[in-house]
Amino acid sequence: MEETISLRELFAVLRKRLWLIVLITIIAATVSAVISFFVLTPVYESKTQILVNQAKSDEQLYNTQTVQTNVQLISTYNDIIKSPAILDKVIKELKLDKSAQSLSGQIQVTNAQDSQVAQIVVQDTSAKRATEIANTTASVFKKEVPKIMNVDNVSVLSKATLGESASPVKPQPLMNIAIAVVVGLMVGIGLSFLLEYLDNTLKTEQDIENILELPVMGVITTIKDVPKATNVQRPDVAARVPQRGETLGS
């Protein structure tokens, strides 16, 4: 016989183990909140923008072919910015206690599609240090790139600034808690169905009918706390044994 599960049975399982689902969800959200607020170190982000051209000629700046060439070279400039040739000088200038490879992991160079503008994004546990790294990287790149490539026109469009109330970009507690709630619900629901699947005990008459495929003729219930029968009779109605020579009722 093919076994089918109805939506009503599924909701019955969820309702039966609702306490487990809620408990796991609360635990997951609590752990996520504690880690986000008290364990993870806040990370700040700072950005600066640079414009790179091959020459200082205004005619070439607006030449379509030249602009397209500059756009295609953006990826090359990105690699140069994150190379030891640039980052070693940034580390030396800022007196940072880290390697060029480690600093490269904190820097991301991006650009919009078909744009000559490159954006240097730096993340660090200190907002001030992130700003200094972004500005120094742009400055060193502007100074060193003419020696590396045939580029002599690098402009810094916007410098990284340190706001009065800089807020971290990571971690995001609310986002982490929301994700933990979703994961907790999924784990709780999955565990509920798993426990229900592993539970092979018979609890209702319907379970017996489904397994034996026979109708239930009767049910013996459990009787608890049944008072014991007593033979104590009231004195005024108790039967009196007649004596010899005495008739009952005299």
Side-chain angles (χ1 to χ4, degrees), residues 3 5-6 33 35 37-38 46 63 95 122 136 149 173 183 193 201 205 216 247:
E3 183 178 358
I5 300 178
S6 64
I35 293 176
F37 284 106
F38 303 105
S46 189
N63 183 279
K95 298 180 181 179
V122 179
T136 305
M149 298 183 65
V183 173
F193 285 120
T201 58
E205 299 85 355
V216 177
T247 62

Side-chain angles (χ1 to χ4, degrees), residues 111-160:
N111 70 292
Q113 187 176 4
D114 298 332
S115 174
Q116 294 178 249
V117 178
Q119 182 171 249
I120 301 175
V121 182
V122 179
Q123 293 185 348
D124 195 90
T125 54
S126 169
K128 180 181 178 181
R129 188 163 56 240
T131 303
E132 292 175 346
I133 293 174
N135 289 330
T136 305
T137 302
S139 176
V140 171
F141 174 74
K142 179 179 179 180
K143 185 188 302 181
E144 297 295 327
V145 73
K147 304 175 185 178
I148 302 173
M149 298 183 65
N150 186 24
V151 175
D152 58 357
N153 189 15
V154 178
S155 304
V156 178
L157 299 182
S158 63
K159 290 187 177 181

Side-chain angles (χ1 to χ4, degrees), residues 156-184:
V156 178
L157 299 182
S158 63
K159 290 187 177 181
T161 57
L162 179 62
E164 295 181 358
S165 57
S167 56
V169 295
K170 293 188 300 185
Q172 297 178 336
L174 295 181
M175 179 65 71
N176 293 343
I177 293 174
I179 294 175
V181 169
V182 174
V183 173

Side-chain angles (χ1 to χ4, degrees), residues 10-124:
L10 295 178
F11 283 115
V13 173
L14 296 179
R15 183 174 56 189
K16 175 182 176 182
R17 303 190 185 275
L18 181 61
W19 65 270
L20 179 63
I21 299 174
V22 174
L23 178 62
I24 293 178
T25 303
I26 293 176
I27 292 176
T30 303
V31 171
S32 176
V34 170
I35 293 176
S36 298
F37 284 106
F38 303 105
V39 177
L40 297 179
T41 304
V43 176
Y44 299 86
E45 186 176 89
S46 189
K47 304 176 183 179
T48 182
Q49 290 181 322
I50 59 175
L51 174 65
V52 182
N53 293 304
Q54 289 185 335
K56 296 180 181 179
S57 172
D58 292 338
E59 295 180 358
Q60 291 189 7
L61 178 62
Y62 295 101
N63 183 279
T64 305
Q65 183 176 358
T66 304
V67 172
Q68 186 63 30
T69 302
N70 290 332
V71 171
Q72 294 174 353
L73 288 173
I74 285 292
S75 59
T76 302
Y77 301 148
N78 296 352
D79 294 335
I80 294 175
I81 290 174
K82 298 179 68 173
S83 67
I86 303 297
L87 297 185
D88 282 342
K89 292 180 172 57
V90 174
I91 293 172
K92 183 178 180 181
E93 186 169 336
L94 296 178
K95 298 180 181 179
L96 300 176
D97 186 19
K98 59 182 62 182
S99 64
Q101 183 178 1
S102 176
L103 182 59
S104 176
Q106 298 179 233
I107 299 176
Q108 183 180 5
V109 184
T110 61
N111 70 292
Q113 187 176 4
D114 298 332
S115 174
Q116 294 178 249
V117 178
Q119 182 171 249
I120 301 175
V121 182
V122 179
Q123 293 185 348
D124 195 90

